[in-house]
Amino acid sequence: MDPARGSGRSHLAFGYGVHRCIGAELARMELRTAFPALVRRFPELRLAIDLAEVRFRRASIVFGLDSLPVRTT
């Protein structure tokens, strides 16, 4: 990477598109470790609401949930 390069046409991209967050893959790798560890630590982890009640974000460009209530017993 050379921030002083003369041309903006040649660039290094991580993933899809010029606006791709380079931390996105790090977050995926962390979650691949964290979720299995969470389930091992709390094997009785369950949704605290019915699956039909899970609400997804509406006004966001990022796919996700508003919240995900869980219980451990």
Side-chain angles (χ1 to χ4, degrees):
M1 180 173 152
D2 181 7
R5 71 183 185 272
S7 171
R9 291 183 180 202
S10 60
H11 65 278
L12 177 63
F14 297 91
Y16 179 77
V18 296
H19 298 290
R20 174 85 172 151
C21 174
I22 63 174
E25 191 56 36
L26 175 60
R28 282 189 193 90
M29 290 170 24
E30 290 172 342
L31 290 173
R32 282 187 206 119
T33 301
F35 284 146
L38 185 65
V39 172
R40 280 193 305 273
R41 173 67 176 91
F42 300 102
E44 68 283 356
L45 193 67
R46 301 288 183 266
L47 280 176
I49 59 176
D50 290 330
L51 185 56
E53 295 178 51
V54 174
R55 297 290 174 235
F56 291 88
R57 293 183 195 160
R58 290 178 179 249
S60 177
I61 61 170
V62 179
F63 179 77
L65 303 172
D66 283 328
S67 66
L68 186 64
V70 296
R71 59 182 171 82
T72 58
T73 55

